[in-house]
């Protein structure tokens, strides 16, 4: 019987706890969180089996330690491992979105009982906190491992066996490779999404109708701006070097686009848009990437009493779990007045077939 100590019971930590609990019920899960209400919630709903009295005691009791805290807090915990007199080997991993600062500190560990393996499950949600945790959050997602040193094959395999039921795809990268690539496809897009929201907000006084027009595609492409600001402040500053470089490149890119428009260069603008479309259309559709996936269907409805109820009833009868519904006033690029957001791709296709079989026109946004 193994014992796993999860420090930080937010979205990622609690989702890992739920997955381990569901698939490996004999494993004892010990939890610790700075928020006592979060810990009480975890115990009440059996997400964890025990609460650790302290970080040090939790480490002593466990075989595997998962640090699910913000990066700066994780760094402090790693440093505290050095002072512990450990009688047995401890496999320690984290879930941080930036790896260089984590691995720099981990490489300074002198406690021979601590075997550190950097980790980053590349799945998430625009929601946060233990209430948003899901056991299937990591399905088809990349789970990046960054061993602190060579010779940890045995420990890596133990960690993979523990996390195998997440149905993630494990890959090993150096911290430099990880931070560059996740910076490009995750951290930097978050900055851009937030900047787009600020631009809309800045024009709102002059054009008060902007929020209503933004309810369609604009809201979709800026969803990630609704993520936890505390978490993302930490991520952006920990990966500051990459962010500054990408911002400089982005500013140059936008200057070039501006010049194309000013000079009425239709051919080059068309080529710019076409190259972007081609690259985007070629991206994998089934695997989860660095940004959270959303599984939407769009349903064409008549504006008459009872229509929404009928749709919801059909989906409920087929045990389709709905995350959100939204009536679209702006729908230039899709068919359907009703957007239904589902948890998984499987539920997305189930909902589509159920409604089509009942005479509704349903579409997916590619």
């Amino acid at each position: 019987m193994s014992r796993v100590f999860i420090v930080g019971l937010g979205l990622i930590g609690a989702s890992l706890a739920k997955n381990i609990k569901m698939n490996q019920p004999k494993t004892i899960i010990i939890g610790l969180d700075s928020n006592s209400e979060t810990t009480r919630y975890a115990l009440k709903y059996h997400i964890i089996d025990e609460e650790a009295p302290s970080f040090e005691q939790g480490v002593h009791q466990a075989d595997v330690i998962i640090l699910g805290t913000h990066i700066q807090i994780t760094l402090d915990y790693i440093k505290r491992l050095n002072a512990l007199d450990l009688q047995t080997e401890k496999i320690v991993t984290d879930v941080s979105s930036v790896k260089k600062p984590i691995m720099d500190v981990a490489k300074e560990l002198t406690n021979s009982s601590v075997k550190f393996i950097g980790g980053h499950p590349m799945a998430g949600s625009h929601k946060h906190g233990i209430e948003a945790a899901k056991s299937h959050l990591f399905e088809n997602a990349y789970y990046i491992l960054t061993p602190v040193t060579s010779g940890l094959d045995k420990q890596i395999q133990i960690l993979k066996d523990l996390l195998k039921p997440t149905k993630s795809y494990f890959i090993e990268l150096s911290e430099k490779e990880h931070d560059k690539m996740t910076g490009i496809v995750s951290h930097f897009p978050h900055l851009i999404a937030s900047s787009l929201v600020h631009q809309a907000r800045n024009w709102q006084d002059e054009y008060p109708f902007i929020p209503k027009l933004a309810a369609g595609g604009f809201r979709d492409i800026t969803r990630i701006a609704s993520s936890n600001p505390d978490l993302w402040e930490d991520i952006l500053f920990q990966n500051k070097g990459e962010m500054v470089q990408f911002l400089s490149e982005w500013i140059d890119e936008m200057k070039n686009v501006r010049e194309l428009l000013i000079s009425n260069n239709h051919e080059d603008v068309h080529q710019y848009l076409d190259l972007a479309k081609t690259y985007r259309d070629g991206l994998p559709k089934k695997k989860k990437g660095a940004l959270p996936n959303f599984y939407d269907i769009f349903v064409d409805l008549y504006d008459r009493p009872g229509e929404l109820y009928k749709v919801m009833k059909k989906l409920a009868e087929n045990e389709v779990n709905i995350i959100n519904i939204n009536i679209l006033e702006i729908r230039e690029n899709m068919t359907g007045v009703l957007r239904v957001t589902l948890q998984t791709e499987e539920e997305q296709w189930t909902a589509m077939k159920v409604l089509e079989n009942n005479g509704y026109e349903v579409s997916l946004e590619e």
Side-chain angles (χ1 to χ4, degrees):
M1 181 184 297
S2 64
R3 297 172 69 87
V4 177
F5 179 32
I6 300 180
V7 186
L9 297 170
L11 173 67
I12 301 299
S15 292
L16 287 171
K18 280 189 168 186
N19 185 275
I20 295 169
K21 173 68 67 178
M22 175 181 292
N23 295 288
Q24 302 180 60
K26 292 184 179 180
T27 298
I28 301 298
I29 301 177
I30 308 163
L32 180 68
D33 195 276
S34 59
N35 187 323
S36 58
E37 291 185 8
T38 296
T39 308
R40 282 196 293 271
Y41 184 99
L43 288 167
K44 177 180 179 180
Y45 291 100
H46 307 290
I47 297 173
I48 61 174
D49 299 298
E50 305 171 14
E51 178 185 4
S54 68
F55 173 72
E56 286 75 13
Q57 288 177 269
V59 172
H60 279 288
Q61 294 171 8
D63 304 302
V64 177
I65 296 96
I66 300 174
L67 304 176
T69 49
H70 289 188
I71 298 169
Q72 195 59 52
I73 299 172
T74 297
L75 294 173
D76 291 337
Y77 279 133
I78 295 173
K79 293 174 184 177
R80 288 164 66 177
L81 291 170
N82 248 348
L84 299 183
D85 181 16
L86 302 173
Q87 304 303 312
T88 59
E89 180 179 284
K90 308 295 180 181
I91 298 174
V92 182
T93 188
D94 72 310
V95 301
S96 302
S97 298
V98 183
K99 292 266 77 81
K100 187 179 186 304
I102 297 293
M103 303 312 293
D104 283 349
V105 171
K107 288 173 184 176
E108 295 176 357
L109 286 169
T110 57
N111 192 328
S112 60
S113 296
V114 176
K115 308 300 180 184
F116 191 88
I117 303 166
H120 179 200
M122 297 188 70
S125 169
H126 61 299
K127 298 181 180 180
H128 57 90
I130 193 169
E131 294 87 352
K134 303 178 182 68
S135 62
H136 61 274
L137 182 69
F138 312 100
E139 286 184 6
N140 300 314
Y142 287 110
Y143 202 119
I144 297 174
L145 298 178
T146 308
V148 72
T149 184
S150 59
L152 294 178
D153 293 349
K154 176 185 174 183
Q155 290 81 3
I156 291 173
Q157 191 56 53
I158 292 173
L159 186 59
K160 285 182 177 179
D161 289 343
L162 176 68
L163 301 174
K164 183 178 179 180
T166 64
K167 299 181 181 179
S168 299
Y169 296 92
F170 294 101
I171 58 173
E172 294 183 31
L173 296 174
S174 70
E175 58 264 38
K176 181 178 180 181
E177 292 171 327
H178 172 277
D179 290 355
K180 178 69 73 173
M181 289 190 283
T182 55
I184 292 170
V185 300
S186 175
H187 307 162
F188 186 63
H190 191 95
L191 265 184
I192 298 304
S194 297
S195 298
L196 290 172
V197 172
H198 278 289
Q199 186 176 42
R201 185 179 64 85
N202 291 339
W203 281 97
Q204 183 175 318
D205 289 342
E206 187 171 349
Y207 298 101
F209 204 71
I210 278 181
K212 295 185 181 299
L213 295 180
F218 182 86
R219 185 177 176 84
D220 290 339
I221 63 174
T222 57
R223 282 188 187 186
I224 54 175
S226 292
S227 301
N228 184 347
D230 294 333
L231 171 65
W232 277 95
E233 176 192 352
D234 196 22
I235 290 172
L236 294 175
F237 276 103
Q238 292 293 345
N239 206 16
K240 182 173 70 172
E242 302 292 356
M243 292 303 97
V244 171
Q245 178 186 342
F246 296 149
L247 277 169
S248 297
E249 294 172 353
W250 174 265
I251 290 168
D252 290 341
E253 177 99 353
M254 291 301 97
K255 285 180 179 178
N256 291 335
V257 173
R258 182 180 62 183
E259 290 305 312
L260 291 177
L261 293 172
I262 291 174
S263 61
N264 289 315
N265 195 329
H266 289 262
E267 183 178 346
D268 284 354
V269 168
H270 184 275
Q271 184 182 29
Y272 183 85
L273 298 173
D274 187 56
L275 284 173
K277 179 184 184 302
T278 301
Y279 184 82
R280 192 269 181 187
D281 290 349
L283 297 175
K285 295 180 181 178
K286 292 192 175 181
K287 286 189 175 71
K288 291 183 181 178
L291 299 176
N293 284 1
F294 302 97
Y295 300 96
D296 293 338
I297 62 171
F298 298 88
V299 188
D300 207 19
L301 291 179
Y302 288 103
D303 183 12
R304 57 193 182 197
E307 285 300 313
L308 180 59
Y309 168 76
K310 291 177 185 177
V311 170
M312 298 298 102
K313 185 171 184 292
K314 291 294 181 185
L315 296 179
E317 289 172 349
N318 287 271
E319 299 184 344
V320 175
N321 189 21
I322 299 170
I323 294 178
N324 195 14
I325 61 172
N326 187 25
I327 303 296
L328 301 176
E329 288 85 13
I330 307 298
R331 45 186 185 276
E332 294 175 299
N333 300 314
M334 72 281 292
T335 300
V337 66
L338 175 68
R339 177 172 60 204
V340 183
T341 303
L342 297 313
Q343 285 190 331
T344 65
E345 185 180 28
E346 181 181 359
E347 288 184 327
Q348 180 189 43
W349 284 100
T350 299
M352 184 175 182
K353 294 303 178 185
V354 166
L355 295 178
E356 285 181 338
N357 290 341
N358 282 274
Y360 291 96
E361 183 179 352
V362 184
S363 62
L364 305 179
E365 183 181 15
E366 293 295 329

